[in-house]
């Protein structure tokens, strides 16, 4: 336990804040192009063979990519219990919609080619569209609501009470961030198809992705302006010890000012939105020029920048409360115990490299394009 004694609670909290961001970004970078391809499916494929080409570019990897989502949910549950409790209860209907869509997607993958009927396959194609587009949209809507503050509070005995409604989540700013999320992942899916597919599927994906990429860039810029001038941020009104007990009611928080004040106190975080804009712009440029590997890498950089800009702007807040700012959850007052965070860190140090190595091996083995001959000449494709 010497190492345990060397890592203080405040350091462990920051480490797990970073790791949570890594898991969520990892999910967006990997399963993000799966969702992008699924949402593009009815539009890039004009016939059954073309749609099967698109599906088979992600068929071997989509299940493994969802590991990042599972790890992210597990990390929230174990490292930030109050965050898990409030978000999964307050966003219950939204979470249910996401889970229903994520359940529909694997069913569509497995059942689509069980029959040859055109109506049967078309129905499952649209199921894949729903199972991919709905989570991409709702994840963005959730981010928009978190930035505005969520209507919840804690009772004196730390019982969380959510006072909002499902339709209240569908406010204009949240819908804008949902649009950014959806179009960003559509562009990511187009970049993946540009790399992995052949023929008309690639041409259509590039044309659509170039448009959705521009929409994502404009939406991200508009969200930044809206955040600067139309949405108040949150800040502590009294010093918060980094090693304080995990009780948000001990903190003093005010709702006011601007989230973008963080860029004045920590100027280095401006690198995140720069990466976001640059990555998306270069991804659109790559789609228009027909480049492949670099376009996917630029798209990944854009997603990394966009998501990390949200986390860095809000730090140290995790989930602000719109109805009772003092109930807001932050890095310093919403974590598990020091021992729990340390044990989790040991497990992450052991198993994360294994997951990364296995993922890299899978992509290496399955590298290459999916052609029409692969589809018509194989009995094992989707």
């Amino acid at each position: 336990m010497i190492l345990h004694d060397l890592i203080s609670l405040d350091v462990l909290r920051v480490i797990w804040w970073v790791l949570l961001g890594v898991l969520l970004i990892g999910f967006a970078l990997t399963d993000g192009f799966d969702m992008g391809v699924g949402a593009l499916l009815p539009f890039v494929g004009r016939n059954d063979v073309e749609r099967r080409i698109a599906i088979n570019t992600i068929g071997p990897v989509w299940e493994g990519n969802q590991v990042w989502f599972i790890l992210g949910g597990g990390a929230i549950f174990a490292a930030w219990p109050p965050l898990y409790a409030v978000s999964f209860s307050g966003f219950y209907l939204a979470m249910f919609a996401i889970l229903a869509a994520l359940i529909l997607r694997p069913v569509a993958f497995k059942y689509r080619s069980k029959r040859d009927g055109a109506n049967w396959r078309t129905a499952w194609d649209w199921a894949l569209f729903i199972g991919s587009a709905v989570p991409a949209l709702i994840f963005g809507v959730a981010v928009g609501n978190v930035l505005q503050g969520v209507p919840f509070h804690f009772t004196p005995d730390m019982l969380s009470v959510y006072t909002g409604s499902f339709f209240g989540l569908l406010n204009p700013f949240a819908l804008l961030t949902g649009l950014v999320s959806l179009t960003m992942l559509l562009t990511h899916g187009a970049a993946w198809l540009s790399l992995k597919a052949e023929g008309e599927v690639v041409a259509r994906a590039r044309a659509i992705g170039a448009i959705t990429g521009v929409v994502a860039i404009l939406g991200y810029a508009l969200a930044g302006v809206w955040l600067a001038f139309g949405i108040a941020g949150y800040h502590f009104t009294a010093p918060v010890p980094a090693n304080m007990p995990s009780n948000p009611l001990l903190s003093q928080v005010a709702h006011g000012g601007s989230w973008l004040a963080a860029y004045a106190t920590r100027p280095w975080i401006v690198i995140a939105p720069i990466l976001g804009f640059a990555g998306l712009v270069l991804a659109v440029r790559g789609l228009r020029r027909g480049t492949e590997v670099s376009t996917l890498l630029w798209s990944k950089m854009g997603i990394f920048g966009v998501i990390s800009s949200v986390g860095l702007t809000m730090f140290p807040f995790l989930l602000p409360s719109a109805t009772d700012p003092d109930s807001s959850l932050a890095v310093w007052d919403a974590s598990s115990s020091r021992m729990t965070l340390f044990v989790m860190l040991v497990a992450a140090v052991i198993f994360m490299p294994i997951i990364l190595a296995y993922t890299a091996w899978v992509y290496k083995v399955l590298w290459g394009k999916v052609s029409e001959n692969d589809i018509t000449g194989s009995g094992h494709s989707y």
Side-chain angles (χ1 to χ4, degrees), residues 211-228:
I211 296 172
T212 58
V214 171
V215 174
I217 294 167
L218 295 177
Y220 184 47
L222 177 59
V225 173
W226 199 332
L227 201 63

Side-chain angles (χ1 to χ4, degrees), residues 310-335:
V310 176
L312 291 171
T313 299
M314 291 183 59
F315 183 85
F317 288 96
L318 298 171
L319 188 66
S321 170
T323 52
D324 179 21
D326 287 342
S327 293
S328 299
L329 301 177
V331 171
W332 312 128
D333 58 21
S335 75

Side-chain angles (χ1 to χ4, degrees), residues 343-376:
V343 172
M344 289 175 60
L345 179 60
V346 172
V349 169
I350 294 173
F351 291 106
M352 282 292 289
I354 297 174
I355 294 173
L356 291 172
Y358 170 75
T359 301
W361 177 79
V362 168
Y363 278 89
K364 180 181 178 181
V365 170
L366 299 173
W367 192 255
K369 290 181 175 292
V370 178
S371 66
E372 183 174 341
N373 289 335
D374 295 325
I375 300 300
T376 57

Side-chain angles (χ1 to χ4, degrees), residues 138-213:
I138 294 181
F139 283 133
V141 168
V143 170
N145 280 280
V146 170
L147 284 166
Q148 296 174 91
V150 178
F152 76 94
H153 65 272
F154 287 105
T155 64
D157 57 355
M158 285 299 294
L159 175 68
S160 65
V161 179
Y162 179 78
T163 56
S165 65
F166 173 77
F167 292 103
L169 300 175
L170 304 178
N171 55 78
F173 180 75
L175 291 175
L176 173 62
T177 56
L179 177 64
V180 172
S181 173
L182 177 60
T183 53
M184 184 171 65
L185 295 187
L186 286 172
T187 305
H188 198 39
W192 176 257
L193 287 173
S194 179
L195 174 66
K196 292 287 290 181
E198 291 184 348
E200 290 299 316
V201 171
V202 174
R204 297 188 194 108
R206 287 172 178 167
I208 297 172
I211 296 172
T212 58

